[in-house]
Amino acid sequence: MCLSVLTDGHPAPDTLVDEHTELIGAMRDEDEEHLLTLLDPHMQDAVTRLTGEAAHA
């Protein structure tokens, strides 16, 4: 992924830390359902910022 595009207009660093901390926690807890629930909007946001379009499920 192009990191320069992903950093434009991204939430505050504290928000990113919180989001990634929650993702890591779900992985550590081996809570697949929660992890997938968190990952979907996380990745949708990345696709939207990279392409300007929402990803199609």
Side-chain angles (χ1 to χ4, degrees), residues 7-25:
T7 58
D8 290 345
H10 212 287
D14 289 345
T15 301
L16 289 177
V17 170
D18 293 344
E19 184 177 329
H20 286 99
T21 299
E22 192 169 3
L23 288 165
I24 291 166

Side-chain angles (χ1 to χ4, degrees), residues 15-31 34-43:
T15 301
L16 289 177
V17 170
D18 293 344
E19 184 177 329
H20 286 99
T21 299
E22 192 169 3
L23 288 165
I24 291 166
M27 285 186 265
R28 285 188 176 149
D29 294 342
E30 298 180 15
D31 187 344
H34 184 57
L35 177 61
L36 294 175
T37 299
L38 296 171
L39 274 176
D40 185 54
H42 183 75
M43 299 307 286

